[in-house]
PDB file of all heavy atoms in Angstrom:
ATOM      1  N   PHE A  56      -0.023  -8.958 -10.849  1.00  0.00           N
ATOM      2  CA  PHE A  56      -0.206  -9.215  -9.396  1.00  0.00           C
ATOM      3  C   PHE A  56      -0.352  -7.892  -8.639  1.00  0.00           C
ATOM      4  O   PHE A  56      -1.243  -7.669  -7.775  1.00  0.00           O
ATOM      5  CB  PHE A  56       0.947  -9.986  -8.784  1.00  0.00           C
ATOM      6  CG  PHE A  56       0.833 -10.066  -7.299  1.00  0.00           C
ATOM      7  CD1 PHE A  56      -0.035 -10.912  -6.675  1.00  0.00           C
ATOM      8  CD2 PHE A  56       1.638  -9.282  -6.482  1.00  0.00           C
ATOM      9  CE1 PHE A  56      -0.187 -10.987  -5.288  1.00  0.00           C
ATOM     10  CE2 PHE A  56       1.558  -9.301  -5.110  1.00  0.00           C
ATOM     11  CZ  PHE A  56       0.655 -10.129  -4.461  1.00  0.00           C
ATOM     12  N   PHE A  57       0.378  -6.852  -9.039  1.00  0.00           N
ATOM     13  CA  PHE A  57       0.350  -5.600  -8.366  1.00  0.00           C
ATOM     14  C   PHE A  57      -0.815  -4.749  -8.770  1.00  0.00           C
ATOM     15  O   PHE A  57      -1.447  -4.037  -8.054  1.00  0.00           O
ATOM     16  CB  PHE A  57       1.638  -4.740  -8.658  1.00  0.00           C
ATOM     17  CG  PHE A  57       2.824  -5.219  -7.914  1.00  0.00           C
ATOM     18  CD1 PHE A  57       4.094  -5.288  -8.477  1.00  0.00           C
ATOM     19  CD2 PHE A  57       2.760  -5.713  -6.607  1.00  0.00           C
ATOM     20  CE1 PHE A  57       5.217  -5.718  -7.812  1.00  0.00           C
ATOM     21  CE2 PHE A  57       3.818  -6.170  -5.906  1.00  0.00           C
ATOM     22  CZ  PHE A  57       5.069  -6.214  -6.493  1.00  0.00           C
ATOM     23  N   ASP A  58      -1.116  -4.903 -10.065  1.00  0.00           N
ATOM     24  CA  ASP A  58      -2.051  -3.935 -10.752  1.00  0.00           C
ATOM     25  C   ASP A  58      -3.456  -4.290 -10.798  1.00  0.00           C
ATOM     26  O   ASP A  58      -4.359  -3.425 -10.694  1.00  0.00           O
ATOM     27  CB  ASP A  58      -1.507  -3.731 -12.181  1.00  0.00           C
ATOM     28  CG  ASP A  58      -2.277  -2.566 -12.914  1.00  0.00           C
ATOM     29  OD1 ASP A  58      -2.173  -1.467 -12.454  1.00  0.00           O
ATOM     30  OD2 ASP A  58      -2.963  -2.892 -13.934  1.00  0.00           O
ATOM     31  N   ASN A  70     -13.644   1.887  -8.082  1.00  0.00           N
ATOM     32  CA  ASN A  70     -12.837   2.807  -7.221  1.00  0.00           C
ATOM     33  C   ASN A  70     -12.557   4.071  -7.971  1.00  0.00           C
ATOM     34  O   ASN A  70     -12.675   5.166  -7.455  1.00  0.00           O
ATOM     35  CB  ASN A  70     -11.529   2.107  -6.823  1.00  0.00           C
ATOM     36  CG  ASN A  70     -11.773   1.029  -5.787  1.00  0.00           C
ATOM     37  OD1 ASN A  70     -12.757   1.006  -5.140  1.00  0.00           O
ATOM     38  ND2 ASN A  70     -10.795   0.113  -5.654  1.00  0.00           N
ATOM     39  N   ALA A 108       0.131   2.610   2.138  1.00  0.00           N
ATOM     40  CA  ALA A 108      -0.658   1.413   2.514  1.00  0.00           C
ATOM     41  C   ALA A 108       0.214   0.147   2.514  1.00  0.00           C
ATOM     42  O   ALA A 108       1.230   0.081   1.814  1.00  0.00           O
ATOM     43  CB  ALA A 108      -1.821   1.197   1.487  1.00  0.00           C
ATOM     44  N   PRO A 109      -0.202  -0.834   3.277  1.00  0.00           N
ATOM     45  CA  PRO A 109       0.577  -2.138   3.235  1.00  0.00           C
ATOM     46  C   PRO A 109       0.361  -2.807   1.893  1.00  0.00           C
ATOM     47  O   PRO A 109      -0.761  -2.994   1.489  1.00  0.00           O
ATOM     48  CB  PRO A 109      -0.043  -2.923   4.369  1.00  0.00           C
ATOM     49  CG  PRO A 109      -1.427  -2.363   4.532  1.00  0.00           C
ATOM     50  CD  PRO A 109      -1.354  -0.888   4.172  1.00  0.00           C
ATOM     51  N   THR A 110       1.441  -3.150   1.221  1.00  0.00           N
ATOM     52  CA  THR A 110       1.359  -3.902  -0.024  1.00  0.00           C
ATOM     53  C   THR A 110       2.326  -5.051   0.062  1.00  0.00           C
ATOM     54  O   THR A 110       3.539  -4.886   0.050  1.00  0.00           O
ATOM     55  CB  THR A 110       1.697  -2.982  -1.257  1.00  0.00           C
ATOM     56  OG1 THR A 110       2.918  -2.350  -1.052  1.00  0.00           O
ATOM     57  CG2 THR A 110       0.586  -2.006  -1.507  1.00  0.00           C
ATOM     58  N   GLY A 111       1.752  -6.243   0.143  1.00  0.00           N
ATOM     59  CA  GLY A 111       2.547  -7.486   0.319  1.00  0.00           C
ATOM     60  C   GLY A 111       3.504  -7.687  -0.859  1.00  0.00           C
ATOM     61  O   GLY A 111       3.280  -7.189  -1.969  1.00  0.00           O
ATOM     62  N   ALA A 138       3.604  -4.581   5.386  1.00  0.00           N
ATOM     63  CA  ALA A 138       2.623  -5.682   5.254  1.00  0.00           C
ATOM     64  C   ALA A 138       3.158  -6.931   5.903  1.00  0.00           C
ATOM     65  O   ALA A 138       4.403  -7.174   5.774  1.00  0.00           O
ATOM     66  CB  ALA A 138       2.262  -5.927   3.849  1.00  0.00           C
ATOM     67  N   THR A 139       2.306  -7.713   6.490  1.00  0.00           N
ATOM     68  CA  THR A 139       2.765  -9.041   7.031  1.00  0.00           C
ATOM     69  C   THR A 139       3.538  -9.776   5.905  1.00  0.00           C
ATOM     70  O   THR A 139       4.678 -10.286   6.192  1.00  0.00           O
ATOM     71  CB  THR A 139       1.612  -9.840   7.539  1.00  0.00           C
ATOM     72  OG1 THR A 139       0.941  -9.183   8.589  1.00  0.00           O
ATOM     73  CG2 THR A 139       2.013 -11.198   8.014  1.00  0.00           C
ATOM     74  N   PRO A 140       2.945  -9.957   4.671  1.00  0.00           N
ATOM     75  CA  PRO A 140       3.686 -10.765   3.709  1.00  0.00           C
ATOM     76  C   PRO A 140       4.745  -9.967   2.943  1.00  0.00           C
ATOM     77  O   PRO A 140       4.580  -9.722   1.769  1.00  0.00           O
ATOM     78  CB  PRO A 140       2.552 -11.304   2.764  1.00  0.00           C
ATOM     79  CG  PRO A 140       1.468 -10.262   2.906  1.00  0.00           C
ATOM     80  CD  PRO A 140       1.683  -9.532   4.229  1.00  0.00           C
ATOM     81  N   GLN A 160       1.114  -3.813   9.506  1.00  0.00           N
ATOM     82  CA  GLN A 160      -0.137  -4.411   9.136  1.00  0.00           C
ATOM     83  C   GLN A 160      -0.125  -5.880   9.469  1.00  0.00           C
ATOM     84  O   GLN A 160       0.808  -6.584   9.114  1.00  0.00           O
ATOM     85  CB  GLN A 160      -0.418  -4.230   7.645  1.00  0.00           C
ATOM     86  CG  GLN A 160      -1.659  -4.858   7.118  1.00  0.00           C
ATOM     87  CD  GLN A 160      -1.416  -6.319   6.628  1.00  0.00           C
ATOM     88  OE1 GLN A 160      -0.344  -6.560   6.133  1.00  0.00           O
ATOM     89  NE2 GLN A 160      -2.478  -7.198   6.798  1.00  0.00           N
ATOM     90  N   TYR A 162      -1.923  -9.632   9.157  1.00  0.00           N
ATOM     91  CA  TYR A 162      -2.872 -10.683   8.735  1.00  0.00           C
ATOM     92  C   TYR A 162      -2.798 -11.728   9.833  1.00  0.00           C
ATOM     93  O   TYR A 162      -1.717 -12.261  10.096  1.00  0.00           O
ATOM     94  CB  TYR A 162      -2.438 -11.341   7.407  1.00  0.00           C
ATOM     95  CG  TYR A 162      -2.876 -10.618   6.180  1.00  0.00           C
ATOM     96  CD1 TYR A 162      -1.949 -10.438   5.172  1.00  0.00           C
ATOM     97  CD2 TYR A 162      -4.178 -10.144   5.984  1.00  0.00           C
ATOM     98  CE1 TYR A 162      -2.293  -9.811   3.979  1.00  0.00           C
ATOM     99  CE2 TYR A 162      -4.543  -9.492   4.849  1.00  0.00           C
ATOM    100  CZ  TYR A 162      -3.578  -9.295   3.797  1.00  0.00           C
ATOM    101  OH  TYR A 162      -3.966  -8.727   2.636  1.00  0.00           O
ATOM    102  N   THR A 188      -5.788  -6.112   9.338  1.00  0.00           N
ATOM    103  CA  THR A 188      -6.631  -6.211   8.083  1.00  0.00           C
ATOM    104  C   THR A 188      -7.786  -7.246   8.367  1.00  0.00           C
ATOM    105  O   THR A 188      -7.467  -8.391   8.728  1.00  0.00           O
ATOM    106  CB  THR A 188      -5.757  -6.568   6.882  1.00  0.00           C
ATOM    107  OG1 THR A 188      -4.836  -5.520   6.730  1.00  0.00           O
ATOM    108  CG2 THR A 188      -6.605  -6.734   5.683  1.00  0.00           C
ATOM    109  N   ASP A 190     -10.533  -7.713   6.095  1.00  0.00           N
ATOM    110  CA  ASP A 190     -11.353  -7.930   4.929  1.00  0.00           C
ATOM    111  C   ASP A 190     -10.896  -9.106   4.106  1.00  0.00           C
ATOM    112  O   ASP A 190     -11.255  -9.254   2.903  1.00  0.00           O
ATOM    113  CB  ASP A 190     -11.441  -6.661   4.025  1.00  0.00           C
ATOM    114  CG  ASP A 190     -10.057  -6.330   3.387  1.00  0.00           C
ATOM    115  OD1 ASP A 190      -9.060  -7.031   3.671  1.00  0.00           O
ATOM    116  OD2 ASP A 190     -10.009  -5.362   2.634  1.00  0.00           O
ATOM    117  N   ARG A 264      -4.506 -16.331   5.946  1.00  0.00           N
ATOM    118  CA  ARG A 264      -5.477 -15.504   6.651  1.00  0.00           C
ATOM    119  C   ARG A 264      -6.537 -16.383   7.290  1.00  0.00           C
ATOM    120  O   ARG A 264      -7.067 -17.278   6.673  1.00  0.00           O
ATOM    121  CB  ARG A 264      -6.230 -14.608   5.658  1.00  0.00           C
ATOM    122  CG  ARG A 264      -5.252 -13.582   5.029  1.00  0.00           C
ATOM    123  CD  ARG A 264      -5.253 -13.631   3.590  1.00  0.00           C
ATOM    124  NE  ARG A 264      -3.958 -13.213   3.037  1.00  0.00           N
ATOM    125  CZ  ARG A 264      -3.821 -12.728   1.814  1.00  0.00           C
ATOM    126  NH1 ARG A 264      -4.822 -12.621   1.001  1.00  0.00           N
ATOM    127  NH2 ARG A 264      -2.566 -12.417   1.434  1.00  0.00           N
ATOM    128  N   LYS A 287      -8.722  -2.461   9.128  1.00  0.00           N
ATOM    129  CA  LYS A 287      -8.705  -2.059   7.675  1.00  0.00           C
ATOM    130  C   LYS A 287      -9.609  -3.016   6.875  1.00  0.00           C
ATOM    131  O   LYS A 287      -9.433  -4.222   6.953  1.00  0.00           O
ATOM    132  CB  LYS A 287      -7.251  -2.073   7.163  1.00  0.00           C
ATOM    133  CG  LYS A 287      -7.101  -1.936   5.664  1.00  0.00           C
ATOM    134  CD  LYS A 287      -5.611  -1.756   5.361  1.00  0.00           C
ATOM    135  CE  LYS A 287      -5.417  -1.648   3.862  1.00  0.00           C
ATOM    136  NZ  LYS A 287      -5.516  -2.925   3.173  1.00  0.00           N
ATOM    137  N   SER A 309     -11.970   0.439   3.082  1.00  0.00           N
ATOM    138  CA  SER A 309     -11.115  -0.038   1.975  1.00  0.00           C
ATOM    139  C   SER A 309     -11.763  -1.214   1.341  1.00  0.00           C
ATOM    140  O   SER A 309     -12.428  -2.001   2.003  1.00  0.00           O
ATOM    141  CB  SER A 309      -9.770  -0.489   2.618  1.00  0.00           C
ATOM    142  OG  SER A 309      -8.946  -1.171   1.717  1.00  0.00           O
ATOM    143  N   ASN A 310     -11.610  -1.339   0.003  1.00  0.00           N
ATOM    144  CA  ASN A 310     -11.932  -2.642  -0.652  1.00  0.00           C
ATOM    145  C   ASN A 310     -10.674  -3.342  -1.116  1.00  0.00           C
ATOM    146  O   ASN A 310     -10.681  -4.074  -2.140  1.00  0.00           O
ATOM    147  CB  ASN A 310     -13.030  -2.456  -1.661  1.00  0.00           C
ATOM    148  CG  ASN A 310     -12.568  -1.640  -2.880  1.00  0.00           C
ATOM    149  OD1 ASN A 310     -11.373  -1.446  -3.117  1.00  0.00           O
ATOM    150  ND2 ASN A 310     -13.550  -1.118  -3.592  1.00  0.00           N
ATOM    151  N   HIS A 311      -9.590  -3.006  -0.446  1.00  0.00           N
ATOM    152  CA  HIS A 311      -8.293  -3.687  -0.716  1.00  0.00           C
ATOM    153  C   HIS A 311      -7.820  -3.341  -2.069  1.00  0.00           C
ATOM    154  O   HIS A 311      -7.193  -4.181  -2.788  1.00  0.00           O
ATOM    155  CB  HIS A 311      -8.463  -5.182  -0.557  1.00  0.00           C
ATOM    156  CG  HIS A 311      -7.316  -5.886   0.090  1.00  0.00           C
ATOM    157  ND1 HIS A 311      -7.328  -6.245   1.417  1.00  0.00           N
ATOM    158  CD2 HIS A 311      -6.106  -6.342  -0.336  1.00  0.00           C
ATOM    159  CE1 HIS A 311      -6.169  -6.876   1.740  1.00  0.00           C
ATOM    160  NE2 HIS A 311      -5.462  -6.907   0.631  1.00  0.00           N
ATOM    161  N   GLY A 312      -8.142  -2.147  -2.572  1.00  0.00           N
ATOM    162  CA  GLY A 312      -7.784  -1.758  -3.943  1.00  0.00           C
ATOM    163  C   GLY A 312      -8.416  -2.603  -4.998  1.00  0.00           C
ATOM    164  O   GLY A 312      -7.893  -2.837  -6.067  1.00  0.00           O
ATOM    165  N   GLY A 313      -9.681  -3.117  -4.673  1.00  0.00           N
ATOM    166  CA  GLY A 313     -10.395  -3.934  -5.678  1.00  0.00           C
ATOM    167  C   GLY A 313      -9.827  -5.326  -5.800  1.00  0.00           C
ATOM    168  O   GLY A 313     -10.087  -6.026  -6.783  1.00  0.00           O
ATOM    169  N   ARG A 314      -9.009  -5.747  -4.824  1.00  0.00           N
ATOM    170  CA  ARG A 314      -8.330  -7.018  -5.040  1.00  0.00           C
ATOM    171  C   ARG A 314      -8.996  -8.201  -4.255  1.00  0.00           C
ATOM    172  O   ARG A 314      -8.555  -9.311  -4.405  1.00  0.00           O
ATOM    173  CB  ARG A 314      -6.877  -6.871  -4.442  1.00  0.00           C
ATOM    174  CG  ARG A 314      -6.026  -5.929  -5.209  1.00  0.00           C
ATOM    175  CD  ARG A 314      -4.793  -5.563  -4.436  1.00  0.00           C
ATOM    176  NE  ARG A 314      -3.888  -6.669  -4.234  1.00  0.00           N
ATOM    177  CZ  ARG A 314      -3.099  -7.184  -5.121  1.00  0.00           C
ATOM    178  NH1 ARG A 314      -3.040  -6.666  -6.321  1.00  0.00           N
ATOM    179  NH2 ARG A 314      -2.299  -8.179  -4.852  1.00  0.00           N
ATOM    180  N   ASP A 342      -9.033   4.266   1.677  1.00  0.00           N
ATOM    181  CA  ASP A 342      -8.120   3.936   0.504  1.00  0.00           C
ATOM    182  C   ASP A 342      -8.910   3.250  -0.585  1.00  0.00           C
ATOM    183  O   ASP A 342     -10.096   3.026  -0.524  1.00  0.00           O
ATOM    184  CB  ASP A 342      -6.854   3.126   1.050  1.00  0.00           C
ATOM    185  CG  ASP A 342      -7.165   1.656   1.182  1.00  0.00           C
ATOM    186  OD1 ASP A 342      -8.160   1.114   0.741  1.00  0.00           O
ATOM    187  OD2 ASP A 342      -6.308   0.972   1.785  1.00  0.00           O
ATOM    188  N   SER A 343      -8.136   2.985  -1.621  1.00  0.00           N
ATOM    189  CA  SER A 343      -8.643   2.234  -2.842  1.00  0.00           C
ATOM    190  C   SER A 343      -8.990   3.267  -3.939  1.00  0.00           C
ATOM    191  O   SER A 343     -10.050   3.883  -3.938  1.00  0.00           O
ATOM    192  CB  SER A 343      -9.822   1.268  -2.528  1.00  0.00           C
ATOM    193  OG  SER A 343      -9.458   0.309  -1.563  1.00  0.00           O
ATOM    194  N   GLY A 344      -8.111   3.334  -4.907  1.00  0.00           N
ATOM    195  CA  GLY A 344      -8.337   4.084  -6.090  1.00  0.00           C
ATOM    196  C   GLY A 344      -7.797   5.454  -6.123  1.00  0.00           C
ATOM    197  O   GLY A 344      -8.060   6.241  -7.120  1.00  0.00           O
ATOM    198  N   ILE A 345      -7.007   5.933  -5.146  1.00  0.00           N
ATOM    199  CA  ILE A 345      -6.457   7.215  -5.174  1.00  0.00           C
ATOM    200  C   ILE A 345      -5.312   7.360  -6.187  1.00  0.00           C
ATOM    201  O   ILE A 345      -4.325   6.601  -6.059  1.00  0.00           O
ATOM    202  CB  ILE A 345      -6.036   7.666  -3.772  1.00  0.00           C
ATOM    203  CG1 ILE A 345      -7.313   7.866  -2.963  1.00  0.00           C
ATOM    204  CG2 ILE A 345      -5.132   8.890  -3.802  1.00  0.00           C
ATOM    205  CD1 ILE A 345      -7.080   7.882  -1.486  1.00  0.00           C
ATOM    206  N   ARG A 346      -5.466   8.094  -7.191  1.00  0.00           N
ATOM    207  CA  ARG A 346      -4.438   8.273  -8.240  1.00  0.00           C
ATOM    208  C   ARG A 346      -4.010   9.685  -8.503  1.00  0.00           C
ATOM    209  O   ARG A 346      -3.137   9.945  -9.276  1.00  0.00           O
ATOM    210  CB  ARG A 346      -4.863   7.614  -9.566  1.00  0.00           C
ATOM    211  CG  ARG A 346      -5.169   6.153  -9.483  1.00  0.00           C
ATOM    212  CD  ARG A 346      -3.852   5.328  -9.290  1.00  0.00           C
ATOM    213  NE  ARG A 346      -4.193   3.891  -9.195  1.00  0.00           N
ATOM    214  CZ  ARG A 346      -4.536   3.247  -8.114  1.00  0.00           C
ATOM    215  NH1 ARG A 346      -4.571   3.935  -6.920  1.00  0.00           N
ATOM    216  NH2 ARG A 346      -4.815   2.001  -8.086  1.00  0.00           N
ATOM    217  N   LEU A 363      -4.939   6.214   2.848  1.00  0.00           N
ATOM    218  CA  LEU A 363      -3.856   5.328   2.515  1.00  0.00           C
ATOM    219  C   LEU A 363      -3.701   5.220   0.987  1.00  0.00           C
ATOM    220  O   LEU A 363      -4.667   5.310   0.296  1.00  0.00           O
ATOM    221  CB  LEU A 363      -4.038   3.933   3.037  1.00  0.00           C
ATOM    222  CG  LEU A 363      -4.137   3.703   4.568  1.00  0.00           C
ATOM    223  CD1 LEU A 363      -4.283   2.226   4.888  1.00  0.00           C
ATOM    224  CD2 LEU A 363      -3.072   4.399   5.326  1.00  0.00           C
ATOM    225  N   SER A 364      -2.476   5.055   0.551  1.00  0.00           N
ATOM    226  CA  SER A 364      -2.289   4.869  -0.896  1.00  0.00           C
ATOM    227  C   SER A 364      -1.386   3.618  -1.165  1.00  0.00           C
ATOM    228  O   SER A 364      -0.319   3.566  -0.566  1.00  0.00           O
ATOM    229  CB  SER A 364      -1.677   6.173  -1.437  1.00  0.00           C
ATOM    230  OG  SER A 364      -1.161   5.955  -2.748  1.00  0.00           O
ATOM    231  N   GLY A 365      -1.828   2.735  -2.009  1.00  0.00           N
ATOM    232  CA  GLY A 365      -1.078   1.519  -2.251  1.00  0.00           C
ATOM    233  C   GLY A 365      -0.256   1.499  -3.561  1.00  0.00           C
ATOM    234  O   GLY A 365       0.945   1.669  -3.548  1.00  0.00           O
ATOM    235  N   ARG A 366      -0.943   1.441  -4.693  1.00  0.00           N
ATOM    236  CA  ARG A 366      -0.251   1.167  -5.933  1.00  0.00           C
ATOM    237  C   ARG A 366       0.587   2.371  -6.416  1.00  0.00           C
ATOM    238  O   ARG A 366       1.687   2.124  -6.982  1.00  0.00           O
ATOM    239  CB  ARG A 366      -1.242   0.845  -7.051  1.00  0.00           C
ATOM    240  CG  ARG A 366      -1.879  -0.575  -6.807  1.00  0.00           C
ATOM    241  CD  ARG A 366      -2.779  -0.960  -7.988  1.00  0.00           C
ATOM    242  NE  ARG A 366      -3.540  -2.134  -7.805  1.00  0.00           N
ATOM    243  CZ  ARG A 366      -4.701  -2.249  -7.179  1.00  0.00           C
ATOM    244  NH1 ARG A 366      -5.245  -1.167  -6.586  1.00  0.00           N
ATOM    245  NH2 ARG A 366      -5.331  -3.340  -7.076  1.00  0.00           N
ATOM    246  N   PRO A 367       0.217   3.625  -6.154  1.00  0.00           N
ATOM    247  CA  PRO A 367       1.034   4.705  -6.742  1.00  0.00           C
ATOM    248  C   PRO A 367       2.580   4.591  -6.288  1.00  0.00           C
ATOM    249  O   PRO A 367       3.388   4.670  -7.201  1.00  0.00           O
ATOM    250  CB  PRO A 367       0.409   6.003  -6.138  1.00  0.00           C
ATOM    251  CG  PRO A 367      -1.035   5.640  -6.084  1.00  0.00           C
ATOM    252  CD  PRO A 367      -1.062   4.190  -5.632  1.00  0.00           C
ATOM    253  N   LEU A 369       3.974   1.928  -5.278  1.00  0.00           N
ATOM    254  CA  LEU A 369       4.505   0.615  -5.794  1.00  0.00           C
ATOM    255  C   LEU A 369       4.933   0.777  -7.261  1.00  0.00           C
ATOM    256  O   LEU A 369       5.961   0.299  -7.631  1.00  0.00           O
ATOM    257  CB  LEU A 369       3.360  -0.421  -5.780  1.00  0.00           C
ATOM    258  CG  LEU A 369       3.325  -1.417  -4.651  1.00  0.00           C
ATOM    259  CD1 LEU A 369       2.268  -2.519  -5.014  1.00  0.00           C
ATOM    260  CD2 LEU A 369       4.649  -2.095  -4.365  1.00  0.00           C
TER     261      LEU A 369
HETATM  262  C1  FMN B 501       0.227  -5.559  -4.593  1.00  0.00           C
HETATM  263  C2  FMN B 501      -0.656  -5.233  -3.500  1.00  0.00           C
HETATM  264  C3  FMN B 501      -0.473  -5.979  -2.314  1.00  0.00           C
HETATM  265  C4  FMN B 501      -1.236  -5.736  -1.184  1.00  0.00           C
HETATM  266  N1  FMN B 501      -1.017  -6.404  -0.041  1.00  0.00           N
HETATM  267  C5  FMN B 501      -1.721  -6.078   1.043  1.00  0.00           C
HETATM  268  C6  FMN B 501      -1.360  -6.702   2.329  1.00  0.00           C
HETATM  269  O1  FMN B 501      -0.473  -7.502   2.413  1.00  0.00           O
HETATM  270  N2  FMN B 501      -2.139  -6.312   3.400  1.00  0.00           N
HETATM  271  C7  FMN B 501      -3.180  -5.433   3.314  1.00  0.00           C
HETATM  272  O2  FMN B 501      -3.858  -5.159   4.304  1.00  0.00           O
HETATM  273  N3  FMN B 501      -3.529  -4.834   2.188  1.00  0.00           N
HETATM  274  C8  FMN B 501      -2.769  -5.126   1.057  1.00  0.00           C
HETATM  275  N4  FMN B 501      -3.058  -4.460  -0.119  1.00  0.00           N
HETATM  276  C9  FMN B 501      -4.116  -3.506  -0.210  1.00  0.00           C
HETATM  277  C10 FMN B 501      -3.587  -2.120   0.205  1.00  0.00           C
HETATM  278  O3  FMN B 501      -3.194  -1.989   1.512  1.00  0.00           O
HETATM  279  C11 FMN B 501      -4.608  -1.033  -0.141  1.00  0.00           C
HETATM  280  O4  FMN B 501      -5.817  -1.333   0.536  1.00  0.00           O
HETATM  281  C12 FMN B 501      -4.863  -0.858  -1.600  1.00  0.00           C
HETATM  282  O5  FMN B 501      -3.685  -0.958  -2.328  1.00  0.00           O
HETATM  283  C13 FMN B 501      -5.447   0.556  -1.797  1.00  0.00           C
HETATM  284  O6  FMN B 501      -5.780   0.711  -3.174  1.00  0.00           O
HETATM  285  P1  FMN B 501      -4.852   1.471  -4.195  1.00  0.00           P
HETATM  286  O7  FMN B 501      -3.808   0.530  -4.578  1.00  0.00           O
HETATM  287  O8  FMN B 501      -5.798   1.766  -5.327  1.00  0.00           O
HETATM  288  O9  FMN B 501      -4.255   2.670  -3.532  1.00  0.00           O
HETATM  289  C14 FMN B 501      -2.258  -4.733  -1.248  1.00  0.00           C
HETATM  290  C15 FMN B 501      -2.411  -3.996  -2.430  1.00  0.00           C
HETATM  291  C16 FMN B 501      -1.662  -4.236  -3.492  1.00  0.00           C
HETATM  292  C17 FMN B 501      -1.850  -3.455  -4.789  1.00  0.00           C
END
Side-chain angles (χ1 to χ4, degrees):
F56 171 76
F57 287 142
D58 187 62
N70 288 341
T110 52
T139 298
Q160 176 268 329
Y162 277 134
T188 298
D190 66 358
R264 295 126 207 202
K287 172 171 176 284
S309 169
N310 64 22
H311 221 99
R314 295 166 64 78
D342 82 12
S343 299
I345 289 161
R346 298 292 179 273
L363 297 186
S364 167
R366 292 184 186 83
L369 261 190

